[in-house]
Amino acid sequence: MISKDNEFTFPNRQLLGRLTYNKASDLEAVKELIAKGGDINAKSLIDGETIFYKALDINIEEISDEVIIYLIENYQPNLNENQGDDMIPLEMAVMDNRVNLVRFMLSKGADPFMVGEEGLNIIEIARGEKTYHDIHKTGIDYNEMVELFESFEK
């Protein structure tokens, strides 16, 4: 039986650890681990999720746009694949209100019509987040996010 301790090879465990718990926005440290054999597209022996997907799912709020953009540009992870029961990468970025990251993901082929975790497409999720934050007066402004998706509907 495979345990969490041997779900990935050693360099990949280090890379996942860096992206999920330890200074996730340290681009140089991430590059160093990749140079030592870390692979963001390596799949878990337990559930088949890639390191990129697991890192976003666990820790997107702590990983800088710079690191995520670097990984997407250089290692082309699949932005349209739902690898588990959780959200797809674009949905994670929308939920975290990362407008620049969403814009970049869309430019790299992320599909705004993909259906997310709740059975809604990404455009509907963005609208739902805007409505929620407007009603509950959280101070989080989703107007720019919703405007970004309006061009896809025309």
Side-chain angles (χ1 to χ4, degrees):
M1 179 168 177
I2 299 170
S3 73
K4 284 282 187 192
D5 291 337
N6 60 7
E7 173 180 22
F8 291 105
T9 61
F10 182 69
N12 290 328
R13 280 197 313 268
Q14 284 186 307
L15 180 59
L16 181 60
R18 170 65 61 188
L19 290 170
T20 54
Y21 303 109
N22 305 313
K23 299 180 185 171
S25 288
D26 185 345
L27 180 57
E28 292 310 311
V30 170
K31 286 180 179 179
E32 184 179 316
L33 289 171
I34 290 171
K36 291 180 179 178
D39 176 5
I40 67 150
N41 292 310
K43 292 192 175 200
S44 162
L45 297 175
I46 294 175
D47 58 20
E49 293 179 0
T50 64
I51 288 176
F52 178 77
Y53 184 88
K54 281 184 175 292
L56 292 185
D57 190 33
I58 294 169
N59 198 33
I60 190 169
E61 62 278 351
E62 298 296 326
I63 305 173
S64 71
D65 286 0
E66 176 187 36
V67 168
I68 296 171
I69 288 169
Y70 171 81
L71 295 174
I72 293 169
E73 280 201 321
N74 292 282
Y75 301 98
Q76 295 86 39
N78 187 338
L79 299 176
N80 294 318
E81 181 180 14
N82 183 340
Q83 296 181 9
D85 298 335
D86 300 318
M87 297 182 265
I88 56 177
L90 184 61
E91 182 179 5
M92 293 179 215
V94 166
M95 297 292 287
D96 205 43
N97 201 21
R98 305 278 283 273
V99 177
N100 291 331
L101 183 57
V102 167
R103 188 176 287 116
F104 178 78
M105 288 176 151
L106 290 167
S107 78
K108 293 299 181 182
D111 182 356
F113 297 102
M114 286 285 300
V115 175
E117 181 180 32
E118 300 296 322
L120 302 171
N121 71 39
I122 305 303
I123 296 169
E124 294 166 329
I125 291 167
R127 274 200 203 103
E129 285 297 304
K130 178 185 179 334
T131 301
Y132 173 86
H133 290 287
D134 288 351
I135 289 171
H136 295 283
K137 301 190 184 326
T138 63
I140 299 173
D141 183 0
Y142 266 80
N143 289 326
E144 188 176 358
M145 184 73 71
V146 171
E147 288 169 11
L148 175 64
F149 285 111
E150 286 177 353
S151 65
F152 288 94
E153 294 187 301
K154 295 178 182 172

